[in-house]
Short mmCIF file of all heavy atoms in Angstrom, two decimals:
data_model
loop_
_atom_site.label_atom_id
_atom_site.label_comp_id
_atom_site.label_asym_id
_atom_site.label_seq_id
_atom_site.Cartn_x
_atom_site.Cartn_y
_atom_site.Cartn_z
N LEU A 20 -14.05 -12.63 -10.98
CA LEU A 20 -12.78 -11.96 -11.30
C LEU A 20 -12.22 -11.16 -10.12
O LEU A 20 -11.14 -10.57 -10.24
CB LEU A 20 -12.96 -11.04 -12.52
CG LEU A 20 -13.20 -11.76 -13.85
CD1 LEU A 20 -13.48 -10.75 -14.95
CD2 LEU A 20 -12.01 -12.64 -14.23
N ARG A 23 -7.64 -13.71 -7.79
CA ARG A 23 -6.45 -13.65 -8.66
C ARG A 23 -6.41 -14.79 -9.68
O ARG A 23 -6.09 -14.56 -10.85
CB ARG A 23 -5.20 -13.68 -7.79
CG ARG A 23 -3.90 -13.67 -8.59
CD ARG A 23 -2.71 -13.54 -7.66
NE ARG A 23 -1.45 -13.49 -8.41
CZ ARG A 23 -0.27 -13.18 -7.86
NH1 ARG A 23 -0.20 -12.92 -6.58
NH2 ARG A 23 0.82 -13.14 -8.59
N ARG A 24 -6.71 -16.01 -9.24
CA ARG A 24 -6.57 -17.16 -10.13
C ARG A 24 -7.42 -17.04 -11.40
O ARG A 24 -6.91 -17.21 -12.51
CB ARG A 24 -6.87 -18.46 -9.39
CG ARG A 24 -6.59 -19.71 -10.22
CD ARG A 24 -6.73 -20.96 -9.39
NE ARG A 24 -5.71 -21.00 -8.34
CZ ARG A 24 -5.64 -21.97 -7.42
NH1 ARG A 24 -6.53 -22.96 -7.45
NH2 ARG A 24 -4.69 -21.95 -6.51
N PRO A 25 -8.72 -16.72 -11.29
CA PRO A 25 -9.52 -16.53 -12.52
C PRO A 25 -9.01 -15.37 -13.37
O PRO A 25 -9.04 -15.45 -14.60
CB PRO A 25 -10.93 -16.26 -11.99
CG PRO A 25 -10.96 -16.85 -10.62
CD PRO A 25 -9.57 -16.68 -10.09
N ARG A 26 -8.54 -14.30 -12.73
CA ARG A 26 -8.00 -13.16 -13.50
C ARG A 26 -6.83 -13.62 -14.35
O ARG A 26 -6.75 -13.30 -15.54
CB ARG A 26 -7.56 -12.03 -12.56
CG ARG A 26 -8.67 -11.21 -11.97
CD ARG A 26 -8.14 -9.87 -11.44
NE ARG A 26 -7.08 -10.00 -10.45
CZ ARG A 26 -7.28 -10.10 -9.14
NH1 ARG A 26 -8.51 -10.11 -8.67
NH2 ARG A 26 -6.26 -10.19 -8.30
N GLU A 27 -5.89 -14.33 -13.74
CA GLU A 27 -4.70 -14.73 -14.47
C GLU A 27 -5.01 -15.80 -15.52
O GLU A 27 -4.42 -15.81 -16.60
CB GLU A 27 -3.64 -15.22 -13.49
CG GLU A 27 -3.11 -14.09 -12.60
CD GLU A 27 -1.88 -14.47 -11.81
OE1 GLU A 27 -1.65 -15.69 -11.62
OE2 GLU A 27 -1.15 -13.55 -11.38
N LYS A 28 -5.94 -16.69 -15.21
CA LYS A 28 -6.31 -17.73 -16.17
C LYS A 28 -6.96 -17.13 -17.41
O LYS A 28 -6.65 -17.51 -18.54
CB LYS A 28 -7.26 -18.73 -15.51
CG LYS A 28 -7.70 -19.85 -16.44
CD LYS A 28 -8.64 -20.81 -15.73
CE LYS A 28 -9.09 -21.91 -16.69
NZ LYS A 28 -10.03 -22.87 -16.03
N GLU A 29 -7.87 -16.16 -17.20
CA GLU A 29 -8.61 -15.57 -18.32
C GLU A 29 -7.94 -14.32 -18.88
O GLU A 29 -8.35 -13.81 -19.92
CB GLU A 29 -10.03 -15.22 -17.87
CG GLU A 29 -10.84 -16.41 -17.41
CD GLU A 29 -12.27 -16.02 -17.04
OE1 GLU A 29 -12.86 -15.18 -17.76
OE2 GLU A 29 -12.79 -16.54 -16.04
N GLN A 30 -6.89 -13.84 -18.18
CA GLN A 30 -6.20 -12.60 -18.58
C GLN A 30 -7.19 -11.44 -18.69
O GLN A 30 -7.15 -10.64 -19.63
CB GLN A 30 -5.43 -12.81 -19.89
CG GLN A 30 -4.20 -13.68 -19.74
CD GLN A 30 -3.15 -13.06 -18.83
OE1 GLN A 30 -2.52 -12.06 -19.18
NE2 GLN A 30 -2.96 -13.63 -17.65
N LEU A 31 -8.06 -11.37 -17.70
CA LEU A 31 -9.06 -10.31 -17.61
C LEU A 31 -8.99 -9.69 -16.21
O LEU A 31 -8.65 -10.36 -15.24
CB LEU A 31 -10.48 -10.86 -17.84
CG LEU A 31 -10.79 -11.43 -19.21
CD1 LEU A 31 -12.17 -12.09 -19.20
CD2 LEU A 31 -10.74 -10.34 -20.29
N THR A 32 -9.31 -8.40 -16.13
CA THR A 32 -9.35 -7.74 -14.84
C THR A 32 -10.57 -6.85 -14.75
O THR A 32 -11.28 -6.65 -15.75
CB THR A 32 -8.07 -6.92 -14.59
OG1 THR A 32 -8.04 -6.49 -13.22
CG2 THR A 32 -8.01 -5.69 -15.49
N MET A 48 -6.17 0.18 -23.19
CA MET A 48 -6.72 -1.06 -22.64
C MET A 48 -7.98 -1.43 -23.40
O MET A 48 -8.81 -0.56 -23.70
CB MET A 48 -7.06 -0.88 -21.16
CG MET A 48 -5.86 -0.83 -20.24
SD MET A 48 -5.13 -2.45 -19.94
CE MET A 48 -6.36 -3.17 -18.85
N GLU A 49 -8.14 -2.69 -23.70
CA GLU A 49 -9.33 -3.14 -24.42
C GLU A 49 -10.42 -3.55 -23.43
O GLU A 49 -10.27 -4.55 -22.71
CB GLU A 49 -8.99 -4.32 -25.33
CG GLU A 49 -10.17 -4.78 -26.17
CD GLU A 49 -9.84 -5.94 -27.09
OE1 GLU A 49 -8.63 -6.23 -27.27
OE2 GLU A 49 -10.78 -6.55 -27.64
N VAL A 51 -14.07 -5.05 -22.48
CA VAL A 51 -14.90 -6.10 -23.04
C VAL A 51 -16.37 -5.85 -22.72
O VAL A 51 -17.24 -5.95 -23.59
CB VAL A 51 -14.48 -7.48 -22.50
CG1 VAL A 51 -15.37 -8.58 -23.05
CG2 VAL A 51 -13.02 -7.75 -22.84
N VAL A 102 -14.97 -4.87 -17.38
CA VAL A 102 -14.01 -5.96 -17.54
C VAL A 102 -13.09 -5.60 -18.70
O VAL A 102 -13.57 -5.19 -19.77
CB VAL A 102 -14.72 -7.29 -17.82
CG1 VAL A 102 -13.70 -8.39 -18.13
CG2 VAL A 102 -15.58 -7.70 -16.63
N ALA A 103 -11.78 -5.71 -18.48
CA ALA A 103 -10.81 -5.34 -19.52
C ALA A 103 -9.78 -6.44 -19.69
O ALA A 103 -9.48 -7.19 -18.75
CB ALA A 103 -10.11 -4.04 -19.15
N LYS A 104 -9.22 -6.54 -20.88
CA LYS A 104 -8.17 -7.50 -21.16
C LYS A 104 -6.85 -6.99 -20.58
O LYS A 104 -6.49 -5.83 -20.73
CB LYS A 104 -8.02 -7.73 -22.66
CG LYS A 104 -9.21 -8.43 -23.30
CD LYS A 104 -8.95 -8.70 -24.78
CE LYS A 104 -10.12 -9.43 -25.40
NZ LYS A 104 -9.88 -9.72 -26.85
N MET A 105 -6.13 -7.89 -19.91
CA MET A 105 -4.83 -7.53 -19.38
C MET A 105 -3.82 -7.35 -20.53
O MET A 105 -3.96 -7.98 -21.57
CB MET A 105 -4.30 -8.63 -18.45
CG MET A 105 -5.07 -8.82 -17.18
SD MET A 105 -4.26 -10.10 -16.19
CE MET A 105 -5.40 -10.25 -14.81
N LYS A 106 -2.83 -6.52 -20.27
CA LYS A 106 -1.73 -6.36 -21.21
C LYS A 106 -0.50 -7.08 -20.66
O LYS A 106 -0.29 -7.11 -19.44
CB LYS A 106 -1.39 -4.88 -21.40
CG LYS A 106 -2.31 -4.13 -22.33
CD LYS A 106 -1.76 -2.72 -22.55
CE LYS A 106 -2.52 -1.98 -23.64
NZ LYS A 106 -1.92 -0.65 -23.90
N ARG A 107 0.29 -7.64 -21.54
CA ARG A 107 1.58 -8.20 -21.14
C ARG A 107 2.61 -7.08 -21.16
O ARG A 107 2.61 -6.23 -22.05
CB ARG A 107 2.01 -9.32 -22.08
CG ARG A 107 1.20 -10.60 -21.92
CD ARG A 107 1.71 -11.68 -22.85
NE ARG A 107 3.13 -11.96 -22.66
CZ ARG A 107 3.62 -12.75 -21.71
NH1 ARG A 107 2.80 -13.32 -20.85
NH2 ARG A 107 4.92 -12.97 -21.61
N LYS A 153 7.34 -10.55 -8.55
CA LYS A 153 6.09 -9.98 -8.05
C LYS A 153 5.42 -10.90 -7.02
O LYS A 153 5.44 -12.11 -7.14
CB LYS A 153 5.13 -9.70 -9.20
CG LYS A 153 4.63 -10.93 -9.94
CD LYS A 153 3.65 -10.54 -11.03
CE LYS A 153 3.09 -11.78 -11.73
NZ LYS A 153 2.11 -11.42 -12.76
N TYR A 158 -2.66 -6.45 -12.01
CA TYR A 158 -4.03 -6.05 -12.31
C TYR A 158 -5.01 -6.36 -11.19
O TYR A 158 -6.21 -6.44 -11.41
CB TYR A 158 -4.47 -6.72 -13.62
CG TYR A 158 -3.82 -6.07 -14.82
CD1 TYR A 158 -2.73 -6.66 -15.45
CD2 TYR A 158 -4.28 -4.85 -15.30
CE1 TYR A 158 -2.12 -6.06 -16.54
CE2 TYR A 158 -3.67 -4.25 -16.38
CZ TYR A 158 -2.60 -4.85 -17.01
OH TYR A 158 -2.01 -4.25 -18.10
N GLU A 177 7.49 -6.53 -16.41
CA GLU A 177 7.59 -7.51 -15.34
C GLU A 177 8.74 -8.45 -15.68
O GLU A 177 8.84 -8.92 -16.81
CB GLU A 177 6.28 -8.29 -15.21
CG GLU A 177 5.11 -7.43 -14.74
CD GLU A 177 3.84 -8.24 -14.57
OE1 GLU A 177 3.20 -8.56 -15.60
OE2 GLU A 177 3.48 -8.56 -13.42
#
Side-chain angles (χ1 to χ4, degrees):
L20 291 175
R23 178 174 182 170
R24 186 172 296 177
R26 284 198 303 271
E27 293 191 338
K28 180 180 179 181
E29 299 183 40
Q30 289 296 290
L31 295 172
T32 191
M48 286 284 287
E49 183 179 347
V51 178
V102 174
K104 293 184 179 181
M105 293 183 184
K106 282 187 171 183
R107 288 182 56 82
K153 66 178 183 178
Y158 286 101
E177 294 182 283

